[in-house]
Amino acid sequence: VGERTPPDRLLADLEGLLGPAHLLRDPDLVAGYAQDWTGRWRGAPLAVARPGSTVEVAAVLAACHAAGVPVVPQGGNTGLVGAAAPRDGELVLSTRRLDRIEPTTRSAGPTLLTGAGVTVAAAHAAAAAAGFDFPVDLGSRDSATVGGIVATNAGGERVMRYGGLRHHVLGLEVVLADSSVVTRLAGLPKDNVGYDLPQLIVGSEGTLGVVTRVLWRLVPATPLRVVALAGVASVAEAVAVLAAARAALPTLSAAEFLLAEGLELVRAHLGLPAPLREPAAVYLLLEVAEAPRPGRAGAAEEELAELLATRDEVRDAVLARSPAGRGRLWRLREGHAEAIAAAGRPVKLDVAVPLGELARFVDLLPTVLAPGVRPVLFGHLAEGNVHVNLLGVGPDDVHAVTDAVLRLVAGLGGSISAEHGIGVAKLPWVGLGRSPADLAAMRAVKAALDPDGILSPGRLLPASV
Amino acid sequence: VGERTPPDRLLADLEGLLGPAHLLRDPDLVAGYAQDWTGRWRGAPLAVARPGSTVEVAAVLAACHAAGVPVVPQGGNTGLVGAAAPRDGELVLSTRRLDRIEPTTRSAGPTLLTGAGVTVAAAHAAAAAAGFDFPVDLGSRDSATVGGIVATNAGGERVMRYGGLRHHVLGLEVVLADSSVVTRLAGLPKDNVGYDLPQLIVGSEGTLGVVTRVLWRLVPATPLRVVALAGVASVAEAVAVLAAARAALPTLSAAEFLLAEGLELVRAHLGLPAPLREPAAVYLLLEVAEAPRPGRAGAAEEELAELLATRDEVRDAVLARSPAGRGRLWRLREGHAEAIAAAGRPVKLDVAVPLGELARFVDLLPTVLAPGVRPVLFGHLAEGNVHVNLLGVGPDDVHAVTDAVLRLVAGLGGSISAEHGIGVAKLPWVGLGRSPADLAAMRAVKAALDPDGILSPGRLLPASV
């Protein structure tokens, strides 16, 4: 066993490797990497390394391995479970400089090869420039990086139409804890040579490797978009309208739900007028998106309008076809995170329940909350994916309220993490989602690929079952 | 360290556990499990265990673990790389009795919950009875089991339309080498709690666990099917027609290619007339499939007919809409395996190349073969997936000819195994498809989940890099 590199020597080595501009130690520069954007998790990292290539990522990992210094990879730092926030003494490995988009061939369909630090918005722009759509979208698109959403398996708003994120990852490049580089970027639609390590990396939250490049499958462009906001009386009615919409609208591309309280919070925060003539208890945001087709112009909008006109549950609805009008309706949904943050520091729990249990979950939730706790719910309807935001929870009560909500979710056959992951926020409740045998297998995989626990220790898996 | 159970005691224990009817030791009964259907791999197994439940599978694995006896899981025994054929002294664990289809809820879309031993044909029938389609299909559907196709990540004929097999696996139950049972059958479309162990199991060829149940995503039923066989002059022309078909036919559900020599072999073997008035060098089998839609009856057939009529490359074509007519055309494609087997014992290599390299691969292949070797090629055009069958290769030349073909494939940026896996057949060439770092990571995963090497040892991964 060799001696460990002392921390000072490590920092000097990393500075030599990356250049002083890309090893950040100045507290002012480090600050933006040292805590998550909600302010719930923070640490005092040893430094922030900003490698500019896969080779540099590998060199950083090798140096940290030799020094026994844990590394936490960080993309856009938009995560919500503390997976990418450093703990004291860790090195933050920022992937933001890995922001190249490289050319690919089209021989097996349209693809996009992105560095891990490319933002989701930049990936959208590149896909659009090539005449296609990027299949994953989410509210944090301007900051979130593709490496981060791969590490999180972030689902977002388009899962209903295109399936989950992992199905769009045709290949990736990843630096493992031992600094070895696994590259699978051939992009062949059929390639059965051994275990699918890329799929193991997707959703591993930085605990198994640092994603450096991702090969994405693109989807056909659907530039003709129409958004509707419909008011209904209950979650059950929203679910019924969704079922009808899925059957009638082959172009349905998003189905989000909002509740009256969240809508009012967003309106007050952003100073927006009421979207409908009469307030509703539940709002359904539906989007249809299609490619231009000869002889079918406006078909999606007609189908959407007809659905809204003929479903008895819909009390009132508005449609928007212009980019500005669509943006105004989406703002009511995507403004939630900001409006909630302005109202206090929420407990944020991202859960999913079977769709048939969604109305019951929304009904039962208040019964497990202490008086004074204010729930604000919204989410992706088709997956029963609810973003539970709880305002008015004191610091000492976070654990108890989280426990109560996640037990309710598990009792309804749901998932304690629909898309945000486990990180550190949900560590104590992993056993509500996975059996001891399952956790033991995960732990064996982690120990196999990172025996020294260098990568994101203390995230995703509790130290013992 | 405890003492190992002696083999006789193990067999007695297993017989007690499963009953004498389900622990096969009679050579006549064992014979069907002891070699693959092509006769290329065979062994003298200790016995064949036929557990009837997940609990029994776990008990069999626990007993074998205690005895240090390796286990090879086997489904329909239709594999083509020797992964499921026993080696001397191994226990064959047949999953065929796990043939239940269980009810599921529909709350997150249509699903099917099958035991591992359900055949693909039975899964199709169950999906159809529920008003949906099963998204995976392949020629061996009457024998191949769903557990086997999951273990192989078998792609088959519908990948072009629906994507690869793994994307249809919503969840599964697997017994790991240590006899622990991992169950993920909640079927939530978003569920980000830790590593995706099911995706790790898909394609692991029986080396990481025994699949016992699979939760499938179903796809909308498309009972209106039309099949066309078109003659073109070259593979390059077939690729061009495919590109046009993909752009013009949203209902395109299969695109297979045959070459003249294979078609003649099938015709001679089955005594079939020529399908077209004039023979062609290359045949393209196209299928469109759609759901009945008011006002759109026959649209897919019209689009297909128009495509064939307007593409200059198409010299002649026939269309079939009746089940019998469609079956006759498909028989020309699916009869290949049988006709080739009747002509000799072929070397079977299932490869993929980037579609842009397919014509070059077909042209170059004869240049790497010894005189007297007769190639018969066919496959799934959209994925550049070629089933290479080589007749006239002497037993001493199998390694050399395999080596030559797989190096050609790798040189063109292709995969040495598109859908059949590695098994034992392609072990020496795994390094053509994966880097040393990649193989080391796979080996670490294998060692983590099966430290004693009980499950399918000697398959998929060579003993050292």
Side-chain angles (χ1 to χ4, degrees), chain A residues 96-370:
Chain A
R96 288 189 217 174
R97 286 182 65 218
L98 306 173
D99 59 358
R100 279 187 63 203
I101 295 180
E102 299 173 58
T104 55
T105 68
R106 283 282 143 69
S107 79
T111 58
L112 190 71
L113 179 55
T114 62
V118 170
T119 64
V120 174
H124 276 262
F132 296 91
D133 274 359
F134 191 74
V136 184
D137 200 15
L138 65 179
S140 56
R141 64 184 72 82
D142 292 323
S143 306
T145 61
V146 298
I149 65 172
V150 164
T152 317
N153 190 31
E157 297 157 359
R158 296 186 176 182
V159 169
M160 181 183 61
R161 178 149 182 179
Y162 297 120
L165 177 143
R166 67 172 63 253
H167 304 319
H168 307 298
V169 176
L170 264 182
L172 53 75
E173 179 182 73
V174 59
V175 182
L176 300 178
D178 67 358
S179 79
S180 66
V181 180
V182 172
T183 305
R184 291 207 195 168
L185 295 172
L188 298 161
K190 290 183 177 176
D191 184 15
N192 276 348
V193 181
Y195 309 144
D196 195 338
L197 296 179
Q199 290 296 332
L200 182 63
I201 297 297
V202 177
S204 64
E205 301 187 34
T207 63
L208 297 181
V210 182
V211 173
T212 49
R213 289 194 288 174
V214 186
L215 182 67
W216 298 93
R217 182 177 78 88
L218 300 180
V219 293
T222 54
L224 304 181
R225 289 173 187 267
V226 181
V227 178
L229 187 79
V232 297
S234 67
V235 171
E237 286 194 0
V239 170
V241 173
L242 171 69
R246 296 194 80 163
L249 305 174
T251 59
L252 189 65
S253 65
E256 305 283 313
F257 75 97
L258 324 175
L259 302 187
E261 184 160 30
L263 186 93
E264 293 311 314
L265 196 68
V266 173
R267 281 187 54 209
H269 179 65
L270 299 174
L272 299 174
L276 303 181
R277 280 159 305 192
E278 289 192 29
V282 177
Y283 296 85
L284 190 57
L285 188 152
L286 297 175
E287 182 180 82
V288 291
E290 64 179 349
R293 282 205 290 164
R296 295 264 300 157
E301 177 174 346
E302 273 171 41
E303 289 168 344
L304 176 58
E306 189 184 333
L307 178 95
L308 296 172
T310 53
R311 291 300 302 193
D312 287 343
E313 298 92 342
V314 177
R315 307 304 201 259
D316 191 9
V318 285
L319 246 76
R321 153 185 344 107
S322 71
R326 281 158 21 206
R328 274 193 292 276
L329 294 181
W330 269 108
R331 194 93 182 91
L332 295 170
R333 158 66 178 85
E334 295 189 338
H336 268 66
E338 178 188 335
I340 290 164
R345 183 172 290 180
V347 173
K348 296 177 91 73
L349 300 171
D350 161 49
V351 301
V353 294
L355 199 50
E357 301 286 1
L358 182 61
R360 201 141 74 98
F361 172 71
V362 174
D363 282 348
L364 289 175
L365 183 69
T367 68
V368 306
L369 300 176

Side-chain angles (χ1 to χ4, degrees), chain B residues 319-336:
Chain B
L319 247 76
R321 144 183 358 101
S322 71
R326 281 158 21 205
R328 274 192 294 275
L329 293 181
W330 269 109
R331 194 94 183 91
L332 295 170
R333 158 65 178 85
E334 296 189 339
H336 268 65

Side-chain angles (χ1 to χ4, degrees), chain B residues 23-385:
Chain B
L23 186 77
L24 312 183
R25 303 175 62 182
D26 177 330
D28 287 347
L29 297 178
V30 167
Y33 301 84
Q35 69 169 36
D36 81 304
W37 70 270
T38 67
R40 288 176 294 164
W41 294 279
R42 75 182 70 199
L46 186 66
V48 177
R50 295 164 37 95
S53 67
T54 301
V55 168
E56 288 186 0
V57 171
V60 169
L61 279 177
C64 288
H65 214 284
V69 168
V71 175
V72 58
Q74 189 182 92
N77 200 12
T78 58
L80 286 160
V81 291
R87 301 196 300 184
D88 292 354
E90 291 181 345
L91 183 91
V92 175
L93 190 162
S94 169
T95 58
R96 287 190 218 174
R97 285 182 65 219
L98 306 173
D99 60 357
R100 279 187 62 203
I101 294 180
E102 298 172 58
T104 55
T105 68
R106 284 280 144 72
S107 79
T111 58
L112 190 71
L113 179 55
T114 62
V118 170
T119 64
V120 174
H124 275 262
F132 296 91
D133 273 0
F134 191 74
V136 184
D137 200 14
L138 64 179
S140 56
R141 64 185 71 82
D142 293 322
S143 305
T145 62
V146 298
I149 64 171
V150 165
T152 317
N153 189 33
E157 296 157 1
R158 294 186 176 182
V159 168
M160 182 182 60
R161 179 151 183 176
Y162 297 121
L165 178 143
R166 67 173 62 252
H167 305 318
H168 307 299
V169 176
L170 264 182
L172 52 76
E173 180 182 73
V174 58
V175 182
L176 300 178
D178 67 359
S179 78
S180 67
V181 180
V182 173
T183 305
R184 291 207 195 168
L185 294 172
L188 298 162
K190 290 183 178 175
D191 183 15
N192 275 350
V193 181
Y195 309 144
D196 195 338
L197 296 179
Q199 289 298 333
L200 182 61
I201 297 297
V202 176
S204 64
E205 302 186 34
T207 63
L208 297 180
V210 182
V211 174
T212 50
R213 289 195 288 175
V214 185
L215 182 66
W216 297 92
R217 181 177 81 87
L218 300 180
V219 292
T222 53
L224 303 181
R225 289 173 187 267
V226 182
V227 178
L229 187 78
V232 297
S234 67
V235 170
E237 287 194 0
V239 171
V241 173
L242 171 70
R246 296 195 80 163
L249 305 174
T251 59
L252 188 64
S253 65
E256 306 282 311
F257 74 96
L258 324 175
L259 302 186
E261 184 160 31
L263 186 94
E264 292 311 313
L265 196 71
V266 173
R267 282 186 54 208
H269 179 66
L270 299 173
L272 299 174
L276 302 181
R277 280 160 304 192
E278 291 193 27
V282 178
Y283 296 84
L284 191 55
L285 188 153
L286 297 174
E287 183 180 83
V288 291
E290 63 179 348
R293 283 204 289 165
R296 299 262 301 157
E301 178 174 346
E302 273 170 40
E303 290 168 343
L304 176 58
E306 190 184 334
L307 177 95
L308 297 173
T310 54
R311 291 300 301 193
D312 286 343
E313 298 93 342
V314 177
R315 307 304 200 262
D316 191 9
V318 285
L319 247 76
R321 144 183 358 101
S322 71
R326 281 158 21 205
R328 274 192 294 275
L329 293 181
W330 269 109
R331 194 94 183 91
L332 295 170
R333 158 65 178 85
E334 296 189 339
H336 268 65
E338 178 188 335
I340 291 165
R345 183 171 290 181
V347 173
K348 296 178 91 74
L349 300 171
D350 161 49
V351 301
V353 293
L355 198 50
E357 302 285 2
L358 182 61
R360 201 140 74 100
F361 172 70
V362 174
D363 282 349
L364 289 175
L365 183 68
T367 69
V368 306
L369 300 176
V373 174
R374 182 181 167 198
V376 183
L377 310 183
F378 60 98
H380 312 292
L381 187 60
E383 296 88 38
N385 179 182

